Amino acid sequence: MKDVVKLLLALLLYGGAAPLLGLWLAKHRMGQRLLFAGMLFMTGLRPGNFMMMIGSVETYRGHTKGYEISLIEVLALALIVAVRRSAPQLGRKGVPGLWLYLLWCTVSLASAIDCAMPSYAWMAATRFFKGALIFAAAALCLRDEDDARYAVGGLALALFHHGLLCLKMRLLDGSWQVKGWFEHQNPMAMWCYLGALPVLAVALSRQAKGWLPWICLAGYGGAGLCILLSVSRAALGAYAAGSLMVLGMAWLYGERRRALWFTLAGALAGVLVFAFALDSFKARLNEVAATSQDVEEDLRDILNRQSGAMLHDHPVKGVGWNNFGIMNSRPGGDAYSEILEEWDRERGFTIYDENYYQNPLTESLYWLWLAETGYTGFISFVLFCAFSLWCAWRGAWPVRGTLLGMVGLALAVALTLCYLHGMVERILTQTKNLSQWLMLAGMASGLELNRRSAAHRESRSK
């Protein structure tokens, strides 16, 4: 009965509230900016605050276990309606990259044919197809520098808020690896550096006036604090490397005074915060060192071997979208579960079948897509990722040196680091990280859409 009520509520939200809100927002450009900033801020909230699940399978350990209904998607639909009404000429020929994203979703859904649990594949399809609303809304919403200011301001506020939250969890709650309002510390850390780099770019721009540079400075610092308290080494490396790249771009494009002061202040703050979190990092490094001495292969390697075996047996369409948790576990995937069991047997563990009914998923995003959707799904996903990077660089280049150009270049750096991180983390499958990624990739698409629109206007004026 609860699922019936949720379904009716979802129909009202997507089919009623979103279009009505969009019609009202069509006459309020500031409302559109605030709404998009709010969508970015919402990715830092608890998932239960903006989403619900229909048909949830609580015992399943896949990357989605039901049909997700997200308020972020509802607001994205409202934004699309608003922009189409207020600027019908925008994106008339399509949103750059949207067709590639939909192609990836379509190809991945084909893996549902003859898979072990087609309903699980449809759960993933519903989730990712609706993500196209978020991507398109972000692309259509980013039309000028004021749009970018409000969007990045929303990111900065979310990061600053989460920094305070993590500080409270460490000092008052006694947490060691702080995870904020995320399922795990690694998703939080990736969410932080993805948001921190465009925030840093705006803080370094002379075109950022008034409250914005200070909010961005606070947000960037909050992101660094969260990453340190999460004890995520990969995210800390991405945060540091990305920051150096953004600072280098600021220096290259004339923001040298701000870049110098920001570097000095950031170095001082980094030393103080790192000293605060040093005990956690030492403990984590000792833990990793002890583990590496005990075993030649860790669990990640074994799970990747499972993925490789699935790809070998199903190279074209994989074992089925969102079916990895079925196929690598007993009783549905005895042959692949045996790979993990053999590893445990070699380490001296006694094998009981009931311990292998819910084996973990591979940590690598790319191995997950290869196993679940085969080479066709994997290649189409990589094409979309590559195109999003091209959009960021191509759209930012004509306006380089401006605030909008700095944001675009920072997005290109952030997305590049995110895609590299995907080799060892499947974080982009999680709801909040997926939403944030699609909004940032959508902003990159929006830059390219602006460039095309400007080129079209220039050609018509000649």
Side-chain angles (χ1 to χ4, degrees):
M1 187 61 184
K2 288 184 178 179
D3 282 347
V4 173
V5 174
K6 290 179 181 178
L7 179 59
L8 291 174
L9 180 58
L11 293 174
L12 288 173
L13 288 172
Y14 287 97
L20 289 175
L21 178 59
L23 292 175
W24 180 80
L25 284 173
K27 300 178 181 179
H28 300 85
R29 182 70 181 276
M30 181 59 70
Q32 296 174 28
R33 291 168 178 156
L34 292 173
L35 186 62
F36 184 56
M39 289 166 58
L40 286 161
F41 183 85
M42 288 169 66
T43 59
L45 301 179
R46 297 181 188 275
N49 289 346
F50 63 87
M51 65 164 290
M52 59 184 178
M53 190 85 73
I54 298 175
S56 178
V57 184
E58 295 300 327
T59 57
Y60 187 53
R61 299 184 65 177
H63 49 85
T64 184
K65 56 184 180 179
Y67 297 94
E68 294 182 5
I69 306 299
S70 172
L71 184 58
I72 293 179
E73 296 165 357
V74 174
L75 298 179
L77 181 56
L79 268 180
I80 293 172
V81 173
V83 175
R84 288 301 189 191
R85 293 280 294 185
S86 59
Q89 75 285 354
L90 188 65
R92 183 176 296 172
K93 295 184 178 180
V95 174
L98 181 59
W99 68 273
L100 269 175
Y101 179 81
L102 293 174
L103 173 66
W104 168 60
C105 292
T106 303
V107 169
S108 298
L109 181 57
S111 67
I113 301 173
D114 296 329
C115 72
M117 293 293 291
S119 61
Y120 289 5
W122 280 101
M123 290 175 183
T126 303
R127 180 198 209 192
F128 284 97
F129 268 111
K130 289 195 286 97
L133 296 173
I134 301 174
F135 178 82
L140 294 173
C141 190
L142 190 68
R143 286 175 273 176
D144 57 34
E145 289 197 343
D146 283 337
D147 294 327
R149 287 186 179 94
Y150 278 89
V152 174
L155 269 176
L157 287 172
L159 292 169
F160 176 61
H161 166 262
H162 231 75
L164 296 178
L165 174 66
C166 289
L167 194 61
K168 176 259 183 187
M169 288 182 168
R170 176 62 185 273
L171 295 178
L172 301 183
D173 300 342
S175 297
W176 175 52
Q177 284 187 294
V178 179
K179 61 181 181 180
W181 283 343
F182 285 75
E183 306 87 355
H184 191 269
Q185 62 270 13
N186 288 339
M188 181 193 71
M190 178 182 270
W191 174 82
C192 284
Y193 77 69
L194 263 178
L197 297 184
V199 164
L200 173 62
V202 171
L204 291 169
S205 175
R206 283 173 293 183
Q207 293 174 299
K209 306 291 184 181
W211 55 270
L212 186 57
W214 299 104
I215 291 294
C216 288
L217 182 62
Y220 177 76
L225 179 62
C226 290
I227 292 172
L228 282 170
L229 294 179
S230 74
V231 201
S232 173
R233 295 164 296 154
L236 181 61
Y239 179 81
S243 298
L244 288 174
M245 292 182 201
V246 174
L247 284 167
M249 289 187 297
W251 187 273
L252 182 63
Y253 292 118
E255 307 290 356
R256 297 178 181 177
R257 185 175 180 181
R258 285 201 179 196
L260 177 61
W261 282 110
F262 207 98
T263 302
L264 294 175
L268 177 60
V271 170
L272 295 175
V273 174
F274 190 77
F276 173 69
L278 185 60
D279 55 341
S280 296
F281 260 94
K282 282 184 176 180
R284 176 60 176 161
L285 291 174
N286 291 335
E287 178 185 318
V288 172
T291 303
S292 63
Q293 291 175 359
D294 293 339
V295 294
E296 294 183 2
E297 288 184 303
D298 64 14
L299 181 59
R300 289 175 185 254
D301 299 320
I302 302 304
L303 296 174
N304 289 344
R305 282 172 54 190
Q306 284 185 325
S307 303
M310 293 181 197
L311 178 64
H312 178 269
D313 295 340
H314 307 273
V316 178
K317 65 181 185 65
V319 297
W321 211 2
N322 197 29
N323 271 239
F324 189 95
I326 294 292
M327 296 305 297
N328 82 326
S329 305
R330 290 186 178 273
D334 293 353
Y336 305 118
S337 180
E338 180 61 30
I339 297 173
L340 177 59
E341 293 168 28
E342 180 61 28
W343 180 62
D344 282 343
R345 193 177 290 113
E346 291 175 353
R347 295 188 300 151
F349 288 90
T350 302
I351 305 302
Y352 299 101
D353 287 356
E354 58 268 24
N355 292 339
Y356 298 91
Y357 276 67
Q358 292 184 353
N359 291 333
L361 273 65
T362 177
E363 292 295 322
S364 168
L365 178 68
Y366 301 116
W367 271 119
L368 181 65
W369 292 151
L370 281 167
E372 289 192 344
T373 64
Y375 284 114
T376 52
F378 172 75
I379 291 172
S380 55
F381 175 75
V382 171
L383 285 175
F384 171 72
C385 292
F387 190 79
S388 68
L389 292 178
W390 184 88
C391 283
W393 287 109
R394 187 70 180 90
W397 189 252
V399 290
R400 59 192 182 277
T402 67
L403 183 143
L404 198 58
M406 286 292 292
V407 169
L409 293 174
L411 285 173
V413 172
L415 291 172
T416 299
L417 293 170
C418 169
Y419 297 148
L420 291 174
H421 198 171
M423 298 174 67
V424 294
E425 298 285 357
R426 64 174 191 277
I427 289 166
L428 290 184
T429 63
Q430 301 189 18
T431 302
K432 298 202 295 181
N433 298 89
L434 173 66
S435 298
Q436 185 206 35
W437 166 56
L438 288 175
M439 278 188 270
L440 297 184
M443 289 173 66
S445 174
L447 288 169
E448 172 61 10
L449 184 60
N450 289 341
R451 185 195 68 80
R452 293 181 184 182
S453 298
H456 179 67
R457 289 193 300 267
E458 184 178 348
S459 64
R460 290 187 63 183
S461 63
K462 291 182 179 178

